[in-house]
Amino acid sequence: MARTSPSQRTTPRRIRRLTGAGPWRAGIRRAIRAGSRPGPWKRGPALAATALLLGLFMLLHAKIPNRIGNLGSLVETFLPWFGLFVPVLLAGALWRRSATAVAALLLPVVVWLSLFAGMLGDKSHPGSDLIVAGHNVGAHNPDPAGTARDLIASGADVLALQELTERARGTYEKGLAKAYPYHTVRGTVGLWSKLPLSDTRPVDTEMDYGPLADTKPADTKMAYTRALRTSVATDQGPLAVYVAHLGSARVNPRAGFSTAQRDRGARALGRAVAAEQSERVVLLADLNGTTDDRAFADITSRLRSAQEVAGDGFGFSWPAGFPVVRIDQILVRGVKPENSWVLPATGSDHLPVAAGISW
């Protein structure tokens, strides 16, 4: 009887290999692994949670307290830029193939659009009765004469300047004299006009504050006056114009968003505007803050932004090299903003802003 060699014996393993059991089992294992993977609605829970938090953060920005480092004001200053997190999160959701994260992103998208969709379109109208402009010319501006020429070219009928220095004041007065026969300067702010001015007075924005403030002579205080009020004579009657430059805001690790001096000035300016008897009011100001910032509620509750009503886009004005916020404002009452725009850069670190208004 012939013996079979080991290679000729039929073992269970050989039977499975010959009958295709191996590939069948591998297919089962692959199916089990596929079935155990989370589906698109279970993937990316962290991304979904982050998207929801972003939406709630923007929706409830007014509830963020200012008690610690003025965090609420800091958030509101840069609030439009929080929308940039949406495409970042969307890219992560698509990479993870997470339907949950994509759905959660609807919240921040809807909130951002509800806050800023009105700033995306062009709301301007052609023509106006009067063009007003404002510019923080910069204390370290290397070319005040060139800045004066640029501002004349804007065609503004009324021109407000902030951060005037004693050294540069004469240059602006000389450079603007022919185009603007009327002007007034108080401290570091001034107004140049093609129309007559009257009833000019400084506005106290409480730059000098504390128990020793009242002991200083008036001429000493006048040197650092940073706001004024005057009347511009128009064909439709007087127009009250305020020019202001509020205190600076600073961000540092210890104090956070330091705005005490600015906020004190905003409240004082708000009181002055509230007491104004004229029906028509224009405020041309470097507020060192945006109109979204709660610190300016006393002002924005009485005046409306020309940029928001009749501008094209956000109208960012600072810093001039790469503007990220609009801190240079044109706010009005009793007149109709027809258009609002940002002028080309000068030698300042701010961009000039302008608006056309009608009666």
Side-chain angles (χ1 to χ4, degrees):
M1 185 173 179
R3 293 185 180 181
T4 58
S5 64
S7 61
Q8 293 176 319
R9 292 173 186 165
T10 303
T11 63
R13 181 179 298 176
R14 182 176 177 81
I15 292 172
R16 287 195 300 269
R17 187 165 60 247
L18 292 174
T19 58
W24 180 76
R25 290 183 62 184
I28 292 177
R29 286 196 295 269
R30 286 194 297 269
I32 293 173
R33 285 197 298 268
S36 63
R37 294 194 192 109
W41 290 101
K42 294 183 178 180
R43 297 189 194 117
L47 285 170
T50 303
L52 292 175
L53 288 174
L54 175 62
L56 292 173
F57 187 77
M58 291 190 292
L59 179 65
L60 303 175
H61 67 87
K63 303 296 183 181
I64 300 174
N66 255 349
R67 292 190 297 273
I68 302 175
N70 286 324
L71 181 60
S73 287
L74 180 61
V75 168
E76 289 165 341
T77 298
F78 297 98
L79 193 58
W81 292 98
F82 283 90
L84 290 179
F85 288 107
V86 171
V88 174
L89 291 173
L90 178 60
L94 295 176
W95 179 71
R96 292 281 289 122
R97 299 180 182 179
S98 171
T100 304
V102 172
L105 278 170
L106 289 175
L107 177 62
V109 169
V110 169
V111 172
W112 192 93
L113 289 174
S114 69
L115 292 171
F116 302 112
M119 303 298 294
L120 299 179
D122 185 355
K123 302 175 290 299
S124 63
H125 302 90
S128 62
D129 293 327
L130 192 75
I131 296 177
V132 298
H135 189 27
N136 180 324
V137 294
H140 303 290
N141 190 326
D143 185 19
T147 297
R149 290 192 297 270
D150 292 339
L151 294 174
I152 292 172
S154 72
D157 301 296
V158 176
L159 174 64
L161 303 186
Q162 302 100 18
E163 209 164 293
L164 289 168
T165 65
E166 283 296 324
R167 177 179 55 83
R169 173 177 170 175
T171 302
Y172 288 111
E173 289 177 329
K174 181 180 179 180
L176 298 172
K178 187 175 180 179
Y180 300 96
Y182 308 97
H183 88 280
T184 183
V185 175
R186 295 291 187 276
T188 62
V189 296
L191 189 76
W192 277 256
S193 175
K194 295 179 180 180
L195 302 171
L197 304 176
S198 63
D199 193 20
T200 301
R201 58 180 181 268
V203 175
D204 184 9
T205 54
E206 299 184 4
M207 292 298 296
D208 192 12
Y209 180 81
L212 298 179
D214 293 335
T215 66
K216 294 184 179 180
D219 56 346
T220 300
K221 289 185 177 183
M222 184 66 69
Y224 48 79
T225 294
R226 294 175 65 158
L228 65 82
R229 185 266 185 207
T230 191
S231 288
V232 178
T234 75
D235 294 339
Q236 302 296 322
L239 174 69
V241 178
Y242 286 78
V243 183
H245 180 199
L246 297 186
S248 297
R250 296 283 186 267
V251 179
N252 62 72
R254 290 187 178 181
F257 193 43
S258 180
T259 63
Q261 190 179 66
R262 184 205 68 177
D263 295 351
R264 189 169 61 244
R267 291 190 292 270
L269 184 60
R271 289 192 294 271
V273 171
E276 176 58 54
Q277 298 299 308
S278 177
E279 293 181 6
R280 302 187 181 101
V281 179
V282 173
L283 169 62
L284 302 162
D286 172 7
L287 295 182
N288 270 310
T290 71
T291 53
D292 294 314
D293 190 333
R294 68 193 70 179
F296 304 109
D298 290 343
I299 299 172
T300 55
S301 63
R302 297 180 174 91
L303 304 175
R304 56 180 181 163
S305 166
Q307 182 67 25
E308 292 180 7
V309 174
D312 182 5
F314 288 93
F316 295 145
S317 64
W318 183 88
F322 187 77
V324 296
V325 291
R326 182 181 177 90
I327 62 176
D328 302 277
Q329 310 291 349
I330 300 177
L331 306 176
V332 303
R333 182 183 78 195
V335 297
K336 179 184 177 183
E338 299 287 1
N339 38 64
S340 179
W341 65 99
V342 177
L343 295 167
T346 68
S348 173
D349 58 339
H350 292 244
L351 295 177
V353 294
I357 60 174
S358 295
W359 313 125

